[in-house]
Amino acid sequence: MEISHRPLNRVDVVSLNGRLDAAGASPLKERIDSLFAQGRYRIVLDLSGLEALSSAGLRILADARKRARDRKITDLEGGDIRIASPSMYIREILDLTGFTTMFEIYPDTLEAVGSF
Amino acid sequence: VPRQSLNETLISKVPLFATLPHDEQRRLAETLRPCEIPANTVLFREGEYGDRFYIVIDGQIEIVKALGTADERLLGVRGRGEFVGEMSLFRGDGLRMASVRARGSSRLLEMTRAEFDALLHRQPTLAYEMVSVLSVRLRESEEATIRDLQEKNLQLTQAYRELQAAQAQLIEKERMERELQVARTIQESILPRSLPELAGFDFDARMVPARIVGGDCFDFIPLGPDTLGIVVGDACDKGVPAAIFMALTRSLVRAEASRARSPREALLSVNRHLLDMNDAGMFVTALYGVLHRATRTFDYARAGHDLPLVRGVGGAVLAPPHSTGQPLGLWPEMLLDEQRVVIPRGGALLLYTDGVTEAIDPQGALFGIKRLRSTVSAYRSGSAQELCDNVLQAVTAFSGGAPQEDDVTLVAVHAQ
């Protein structure tokens, strides 16, 4: 899996390309850990290039979401992981696994970034 | 210019001969033979009998021990005005102590043993000078040998340490492999040893782990004479952590299934227990349902797991409607997808994990739900065993030797 990262002013956009499975999970976790370590807790995951999402990948998403939301940036704003532009297939997986109700999902990156 | 005078000029410039009287220099100029040596010529070899020595006029001459072997070692390089090959003339056995090779094309003066002996008789003081050079060279050679030995010793010590480390790693790896084999045996032993019996149905189940131990599981839980609990689950990781978490989940489901009034109630209890014990952020997707013999209904609760497939007699494959069902172990207020399906007579129910739909071919394409559905549809209403066989064969053929990324689990129920 390829991971690219675009830092914006208040938000980081992390784009995933390929398969987020057991092999792809560790590099994504490392990338998210390093953002958290820099105090960056508002992350948009751009899933437009994601081809597959396995349970190992879902685990990273669930864990990252929890840690981001546990982080309180101000009284009004907390950290969060938000999802942008998943394909129909990925959307179906998120749906079947019940992740759609746990994540804010946006049709495109711009909207996801704007939601913070 | 006559040859003698040229040789004489050369000889007067050789430090060893520089202090000799003129008539002796002239005499040497007449007797010594100049020779041209092409590059890389071996002048003589270690261990040969030496009957002459050489004075370097031009070029560079290498003194080499163990020439042409793995232990080849350069002792020194002699240049203009220096001499080579003198040692064997002083040695009792007269044997060469090292080989000598021209680095580039070189010009030398050659002197035989007889000429050398005669010269020493005429000019005994020359012997002192040669001996002083000789002693320096012997010391250099000795020091080089000691350095060489020290270096070799260091390499040996290093190699020995590496060998020890490698051996320790090997032992550790073997230990881990033994432990993994034990883990696998335990995992296999907690899976049902035999298929359940329920009048009017036949069953089959398969689990093919991607590694030695897997994060998938299935179970058949007898609940009463006419009801059977069936569960399939997938822990969100691979290997030992997933296997431990899965074993825990499976035990909890088994315990809760017999006292809960519904699959939903059972999974909600399991979720509460898992949340108490889950610091690693693991979760499990699971589908647990109860099969009723008389009505051929399967009432299930789905916790983020793949949808079951129901095959009708004509080959139509139906995926039941679904609402939101979330994985176990993540959230206290979890949502479960509760559904009821009816398995028609002659039809079948297939439960599976995402190792089936996410199997990849060598080009990286996914097996996918469509292929799974057409495989289930094409299956000719045989036994549950035939359904499992067909799906596994289809996945194996599709993968075409690509490494298996995820555990593959199938549970099939066939209504006779």
Side-chain angles (χ1 to χ4, degrees):
Chain A
M1 190 184 61
E2 272 176 46
I3 303 173
S4 54
H5 168 224
R6 189 156 48 98
L8 302 176
N9 210 7
R10 303 169 60 246
V11 180
D12 289 274
V13 179
V14 175
S15 305
L16 309 182
N17 277 285
R19 301 168 44 83
L20 179 50
D21 50 16
S26 325
L28 176 59
K29 181 170 165 31
E30 278 165 27
R31 182 63 65 105
I32 289 175
D33 284 351
S34 95
L35 286 175
F36 284 176
Q38 296 162 43
R40 309 282 294 182
Y41 285 91
R42 294 196 194 100
I43 299 173
V44 168
L45 287 179
D46 170 14
L47 302 190
S48 54
L50 196 64
E51 292 158 15
L53 175 57
S54 82
S55 47
L58 288 170
R59 179 186 177 194
I60 303 303
L61 299 190
D63 180 59
R65 170 192 171 277
K66 182 176 184 307
R67 285 160 63 207
R69 289 198 180 180
D70 284 351
R71 180 78 185 187
K72 223 176 174 188
I73 292 176
T74 67
D75 279 348
L76 292 173
E77 298 172 280
D80 199 8
I81 305 283
R82 295 182 185 168
I83 290 174
S85 48
S87 67
M88 279 294 288
Y89 175 65
I90 297 297
R91 174 95 202 190
E92 238 166 70
I93 293 174
L94 292 171
D95 205 26
L96 278 177
T97 50
F99 273 64
T100 20
T101 49
M102 305 312 297
F103 283 88
E104 290 186 25
I105 301 178
Y106 296 88
D108 60 65
T109 312
L110 197 66
E111 216 171 303
V113 169
S115 73
F116 275 102
Chain B
V1 182
R3 202 187 84 177
Q4 281 86 346
S5 64
L6 182 67
N7 272 357
E8 207 179 323
T9 317
L10 292 175
I11 280 170
S12 65
K13 287 182 179 161
V14 173
L16 179 68
F17 300 143
T19 54
L20 291 178
H22 282 298
D23 58 334
E24 187 64 71
Q25 287 185 356
R26 197 169 307 124
R27 186 168 179 169
L28 286 175
E30 281 163 13
T31 51
L32 299 190
R33 289 159 301 282
C35 45
E36 302 285 337
I37 307 292
N40 295 318
T41 306
V42 176
L43 218 52
F44 54 79
R45 287 179 187 277
E46 184 177 347
E48 286 174 356
Y49 180 75
D51 62 352
R52 58 200 65 205
F53 89 114
Y54 301 87
I55 296 138
V56 183
I57 304 298
D58 260 321
Q60 290 188 310
I61 303 295
E62 297 175 333
I63 319 294
V64 185
K65 268 292 215 193
L67 181 71
T69 71
D71 294 328
E72 182 173 310
R73 182 159 56 89
L74 184 68
L75 285 184
V77 179
R78 309 279 177 248
R80 175 189 295 234
E82 294 185 294
F83 47 86
V84 292
E86 78 292 347
M87 277 194 197
S88 62
L89 300 188
F90 287 102
R91 273 175 64 148
D93 59 8
L95 299 183
R96 298 293 191 192
M97 291 179 68
S99 304
V100 162
R101 180 174 58 196
R103 186 173 275 182
S105 65
S106 306
R107 198 143 61 102
L108 311 172
L109 285 175
E110 184 186 84
M111 187 178 218
T112 65
R113 183 181 281 266
E115 285 164 349
F116 179 67
D117 285 344
L119 175 62
L120 284 191
H121 273 112
R122 290 196 306 275
Q123 308 286 344
T125 52
L126 201 60
Y128 288 108
E129 246 178 277
M130 288 206 74
V131 165
S132 79
V133 172
L134 203 63
S135 68
V136 169
R137 288 185 178 178
L138 280 171
R139 201 181 62 233
E140 280 172 0
S141 155
E142 199 171 282
E143 280 166 359
T145 306
I146 290 171
R147 270 200 308 276
D148 214 48
L149 277 174
Q150 284 171 333
E151 175 67 18
K152 284 241 160 63
N153 197 20
L154 209 67
Q155 285 171 0
L156 269 175
T157 312
Q158 182 67 20
Y160 178 65
R161 284 205 196 103
E162 280 166 12
L163 199 68
Q164 273 185 320
Q167 196 185 16
Q169 269 185 1
L170 204 66
I171 290 170
E172 177 64 11
K173 189 163 170 279
E174 275 174 8
R175 190 183 63 77
M176 285 174 69
E177 272 169 11
R178 269 201 308 279
E179 286 185 0
L180 276 176
Q181 284 299 343
V182 172
R184 179 175 190 141
T185 311
I186 293 173
Q187 190 168 47
E188 280 168 352
S189 68
I190 62 175
L191 289 175
R193 281 157 202 268
S194 58
L195 293 167
E197 286 180 14
L198 194 67
F201 292 92
D202 57 270
F203 303 88
D204 200 5
R206 309 286 171 86
M207 191 175 102
V208 186
R211 302 187 191 169
I212 297 179
V213 291
D216 279 7
C217 88
F218 65 89
D219 200 6
F220 297 104
I221 307 165
L223 296 172
D226 294 318
T227 47
L228 176 72
I230 302 174
V231 61
V232 56
D234 176 2
C236 62
D237 208 340
K238 304 286 150 295
V240 173
I244 294 173
F245 200 68
M246 198 67 245
L248 173 67
T249 308
R250 185 186 161 281
S251 306
L252 289 171
V253 173
R254 202 158 241 269
E256 294 300 332
S258 47
R259 69 173 154 210
R261 279 171 302 179
S262 67
R264 171 189 161 79
E265 206 175 87
L267 290 189
L268 287 177
S269 299
V270 171
N271 187 51
R272 277 193 296 274
H273 292 305
L274 286 180
L275 280 169
D276 284 344
M277 311 175 196
N278 183 13
D279 292 332
M282 303 268 283
F283 65 81
V284 172
T285 71
L287 188 152
Y288 168 60
V290 177
L291 177 66
H292 301 273
R293 188 186 65 81
T295 52
R296 295 187 316 284
T297 50
F298 183 63
D299 292 325
Y300 66 84
R302 192 181 60 85
H305 200 81
D306 296 84
L307 296 179
L309 292 177
V310 180
R311 185 191 186 279
V313 193
V317 176
L318 169 99
H322 67 91
S323 62
T324 301
Q326 295 172 330
L328 304 170
L330 281 180
W331 301 302
E333 305 300 324
M334 73 172 297
L335 298 168
L336 283 168
D337 173 26
E338 280 185 284
Q339 304 290 342
R340 164 176 292 182
V341 293
V342 180
I343 310 170
R345 276 189 211 285
L349 168 75
L350 181 71
L351 309 179
Y352 58 93
T353 57
D354 63 4
V356 176
T357 44
E358 302 218 338
I360 50 171
D361 72 3
Q363 284 74 47
L366 293 170
F367 186 74
I369 184 71
K370 277 186 191 155
R371 259 190 208 88
L372 178 60
R373 290 177 74 123
S374 58
T375 308
V376 173
S377 173
Y379 140 88
R380 287 292 157 223
S381 112
S383 58
Q385 186 190 342
E386 192 189 324
L387 178 53
C388 287
D389 284 344
N390 283 13
V391 173
L392 274 189
Q393 274 166 19
V395 170
T396 309
F398 177 80
S399 304
Q404 185 188 338
E405 302 257 337
D406 201 354
D407 308 329
V408 167
T409 299
L410 297 170
V411 173
V413 179
H414 171 239
Q416 292 153 355

